């Protein structure tokens, strides 16, 4: 009796294995784009849910904050696509001009155009328009660090070449942000610079000196503000007043605890009813936990983990050191900021005032983060073999037309 076999006939092409798919040249590209879009969609949904009550209370439409965030997303997505098509050599040429524009924009906050918000002077206001220049400065700084550190890499044995001009210029850019008392953004920029220096291979002694200097600056900024001192003391105090210093932390933890495993349901948050300050911004992660439960918060963690994996994969595979350093800085910026935000919400860190990238409300932050991810996507498109693999795949239009043609047949 003949035995059947599942082996393919000779000459039949084999389907790619799961391991082979993960080793594909375009894995980084699809992981980056997929995780970014899922976080963006989740953020838009949660901004709508968490802001509707406060918008109604202030006399606006319940969709006011959401529509503003959606407009920023519609601006950021084409810019992200455009950034993903810019060749690497163009970013190298634009490094100095981008830094100059970023610093000029940050200087405008100290002009008559600049105004304060929440005690921080970091916004530019024009009729019908406002922006936070420090967000654009992050992107300009990380591209500039990539160009400078790669040029200096062969000279890293000499500490002067390893430290100059990267550290003084980075310190000056961060100093402009700290002059506006925006410690949260300053900390994010410190993390960004650390990521770029580490990936570039700066000697650890320089890295350690820069780290000590950054810690000293953060300590001085914290001590110089009575508000920050109070928040730090409340964080380390065992008898913090839940109606005063620990009010926001208490309600954030209550939101997470109330959500349980699967949450109260989308739109069913109780803390957003004027109990939890900044529910649609710095503490949106707490509303996710309340409405979507532990599953929702873990989903956010997994998506940021996917972003981190994709960017680390680019650092490991890309042949251009410039792409590696810039990707390292962007990874430290986005993943580091996300971890700080979530650490604040779950009570592991004192309240700092750092939004959750791609998820929290905020136009300047959303647009700049999307553009930064677009820059990294451009590097993913130039990984070894990625350009050929992407060119060989049919476009969405062609696939759609093929499906329509088969349906009609």
């Amino acid at each position: 009796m003949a035995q059947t076999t599942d082996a393919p006939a000779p000459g039949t092409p084999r389907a790619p294995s799961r391991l082979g798919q993960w080793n594909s040249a375009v894995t980084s590209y699809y992981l980056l784009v997929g995780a970014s879009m899922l976080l963006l969609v989740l953020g838009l949904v949660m901004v709508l849910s968490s802001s509707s009550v406060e918008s109604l209370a202030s006399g606006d439409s319940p969709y006011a904050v959401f529509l503003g965030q959606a407009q920023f997303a519609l601006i950021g997505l084409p810019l992200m696509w455009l950034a993903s098509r810019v060749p690497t050599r163009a970013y190298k040429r634009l490094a100095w001009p981008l830094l100059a524009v970023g610093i000029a924009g940050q200087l405008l906050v100290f002009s008559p155009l600049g105004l304060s918000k929440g005690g921080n002077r970091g916004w530019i206001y024009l009729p019908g328009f406002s922006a936070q220049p420090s967000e654009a400065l992050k992107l300009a700084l990380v591209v500039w660090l990539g160009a400078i550190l790669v040029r200096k890499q062969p000279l890293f044995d000499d500490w002067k070449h390893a430290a100059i001009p990267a550290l003084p210029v980075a310190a000056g850019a961060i100093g402009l942000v700290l002059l506006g008392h925006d410690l949260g953004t300053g900390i994010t920029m410190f993390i960004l610079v650390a990521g770029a220096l580490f990936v570039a291979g700066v000697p650890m002694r320089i890295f350690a000196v820069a780290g000590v200097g950054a810690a000293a600056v953060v300590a001085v900024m914290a001590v110089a503000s009575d508000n920050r001192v109070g928040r730090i003391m409340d964080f380390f105090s065992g008898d913090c007043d839940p109606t005063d210093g620990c009010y926001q932390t208490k309600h954030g933890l209550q939101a997470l605890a109330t959500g349980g495993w699967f949450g109260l349901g989308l739109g069913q948050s109780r803390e957003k009813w004027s109990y939890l300050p900044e529910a649609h911004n710095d503490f949106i992660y707490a509303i996710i936990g309340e409405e979507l439960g532990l599953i929702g918060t873990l989903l956010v963690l997994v998506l940021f983990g996917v972003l981190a994996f994709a960017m680390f994969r680019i650092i490991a595979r890309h042949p251009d050191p410039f792409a590696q350093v810039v990707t390292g800085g962007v990874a430290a910026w986005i993943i580091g900021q996300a971890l700080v935000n979530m650490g604040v919400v779950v009570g592991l860190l004192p309240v700092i005032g750092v939004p959750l990238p791609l998820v929290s409300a905020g136009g300047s932050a959303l647009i700049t983060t999307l553009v930064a991810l677009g820059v990294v996507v451009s590097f993913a498109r130039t990984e070894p073999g990625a350009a050929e693999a992407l060119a060989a795949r049919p476009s969405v239009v062609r696939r759609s037309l093929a499906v329509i043609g088969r349906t009609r047949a």
Side-chain angles (χ1 to χ4, degrees), residues 91 94-103 136-137 139-141 143:
Y91 285 117
L94 290 171
W96 280 99
L98 284 175
L99 182 65
V101 172
I103 291 176
L137 183 56
L139 179 58
L141 181 60
V143 173

Short mmCIF file of all heavy atoms in Angstrom, two decimals, residues 91 94-103 136-137 139-141 143:
data_model
loop_
_atom_site.label_atom_id
_atom_site.label_comp_id
_atom_site.label_asym_id
_atom_site.label_seq_id
_atom_site.Cartn_x
_atom_site.Cartn_y
_atom_site.Cartn_z
N TYR A 91 20.11 63.56 5.64
CA TYR A 91 20.07 63.88 7.07
C TYR A 91 21.44 64.32 7.58
O TYR A 91 21.53 65.20 8.43
CB TYR A 91 19.56 62.67 7.86
CG TYR A 91 18.08 62.45 7.75
CD1 TYR A 91 17.57 61.29 7.17
CD2 TYR A 91 17.18 63.39 8.21
CE1 TYR A 91 16.21 61.08 7.05
CE2 TYR A 91 15.81 63.20 8.10
CZ TYR A 91 15.33 62.04 7.51
OH TYR A 91 13.99 61.85 7.39
N LEU A 94 21.84 67.89 6.65
CA LEU A 94 20.91 68.77 7.34
C LEU A 94 21.19 68.90 8.83
O LEU A 94 20.49 69.64 9.52
CB LEU A 94 19.47 68.27 7.14
CG LEU A 94 18.89 68.38 5.74
CD1 LEU A 94 17.56 67.64 5.67
CD2 LEU A 94 18.70 69.84 5.36
N ALA A 95 22.19 68.18 9.34
CA ALA A 95 22.41 68.12 10.79
C ALA A 95 22.60 69.52 11.40
O ALA A 95 21.91 69.89 12.36
CB ALA A 95 23.61 67.23 11.10
N TRP A 96 23.53 70.29 10.86
CA TRP A 96 23.79 71.63 11.41
C TRP A 96 22.63 72.58 11.19
O TRP A 96 22.24 73.30 12.13
CB TRP A 96 25.08 72.19 10.84
CG TRP A 96 26.32 71.65 11.50
CD1 TRP A 96 27.13 70.66 11.04
CD2 TRP A 96 26.88 72.08 12.75
NE1 TRP A 96 28.16 70.43 11.91
CE2 TRP A 96 28.04 71.28 12.98
CE3 TRP A 96 26.52 73.03 13.69
CZ2 TRP A 96 28.83 71.43 14.11
CZ3 TRP A 96 27.31 73.18 14.82
CH2 TRP A 96 28.45 72.39 15.03
N PRO A 97 22.04 72.66 9.98
CA PRO A 97 20.87 73.55 9.81
C PRO A 97 19.71 73.19 10.74
O PRO A 97 19.05 74.08 11.28
CB PRO A 97 20.49 73.34 8.34
CG PRO A 97 21.75 72.93 7.68
CD PRO A 97 22.48 72.10 8.68
N LEU A 98 19.44 71.90 10.92
CA LEU A 98 18.36 71.49 11.82
C LEU A 98 18.63 71.95 13.25
O LEU A 98 17.73 72.43 13.95
CB LEU A 98 18.18 69.98 11.78
CG LEU A 98 17.48 69.39 10.56
CD1 LEU A 98 17.50 67.86 10.63
CD2 LEU A 98 16.04 69.89 10.46
N LEU A 99 19.89 71.79 13.70
CA LEU A 99 20.23 72.22 15.05
C LEU A 99 20.07 73.73 15.20
O LEU A 99 19.55 74.21 16.22
CB LEU A 99 21.66 71.81 15.39
CG LEU A 99 22.12 72.17 16.81
CD1 LEU A 99 21.33 71.40 17.85
CD2 LEU A 99 23.61 71.90 16.97
N ALA A 100 20.49 74.48 14.19
CA ALA A 100 20.36 75.95 14.26
C ALA A 100 18.89 76.36 14.34
O ALA A 100 18.53 77.24 15.13
CB ALA A 100 21.03 76.58 13.03
N VAL A 101 18.05 75.72 13.53
CA VAL A 101 16.62 76.04 13.56
C VAL A 101 16.01 75.65 14.90
O VAL A 101 15.20 76.39 15.47
CB VAL A 101 15.89 75.33 12.41
CG1 VAL A 101 14.38 75.48 12.55
CG2 VAL A 101 16.34 75.89 11.06
N GLY A 102 16.42 74.49 15.43
CA GLY A 102 15.89 74.04 16.72
C GLY A 102 16.26 74.99 17.85
O GLY A 102 15.42 75.32 18.70
N ILE A 103 17.51 75.44 17.88
CA ILE A 103 17.94 76.37 18.94
C ILE A 103 17.25 77.73 18.77
O ILE A 103 16.81 78.34 19.76
CB ILE A 103 19.47 76.53 18.91
CG1 ILE A 103 20.12 75.21 19.37
CG2 ILE A 103 19.92 77.69 19.78
CD1 ILE A 103 21.62 75.21 19.30
N ALA A 136 10.80 69.90 18.83
CA ALA A 136 11.58 69.90 17.59
C ALA A 136 13.07 69.90 17.89
O ALA A 136 13.86 69.31 17.13
CB ALA A 136 11.20 71.11 16.74
N LEU A 137 13.47 70.53 19.00
CA LEU A 137 14.88 70.56 19.36
C LEU A 137 15.40 69.16 19.67
O LEU A 137 16.57 68.86 19.40
CB LEU A 137 15.09 71.50 20.55
CG LEU A 137 16.54 71.71 21.02
CD1 LEU A 137 17.42 72.21 19.89
CD2 LEU A 137 16.57 72.69 22.20
N LEU A 139 14.56 66.37 18.16
CA LEU A 139 14.86 65.73 16.88
C LEU A 139 16.10 66.33 16.25
O LEU A 139 16.97 65.60 15.74
CB LEU A 139 13.66 65.88 15.94
CG LEU A 139 13.82 65.29 14.54
CD1 LEU A 139 14.14 63.82 14.59
CD2 LEU A 139 12.56 65.55 13.71
N ALA A 140 16.22 67.66 16.28
CA ALA A 140 17.40 68.31 15.71
C ALA A 140 18.67 67.87 16.43
O ALA A 140 19.70 67.60 15.79
CB ALA A 140 17.24 69.83 15.80
N LEU A 141 18.59 67.75 17.75
CA LEU A 141 19.77 67.38 18.53
C LEU A 141 20.20 65.95 18.24
O LEU A 141 21.41 65.67 18.11
CB LEU A 141 19.48 67.55 20.02
CG LEU A 141 20.62 67.22 20.99
CD1 LEU A 141 21.83 68.11 20.72
CD2 LEU A 141 20.16 67.37 22.44
N VAL A 143 19.76 64.16 15.49
CA VAL A 143 20.35 64.07 14.14
C VAL A 143 21.75 64.69 14.16
O VAL A 143 22.70 64.14 13.57
CB VAL A 143 19.44 64.76 13.11
CG1 VAL A 143 20.13 64.82 11.75
CG2 VAL A 143 18.12 64.02 12.99
#
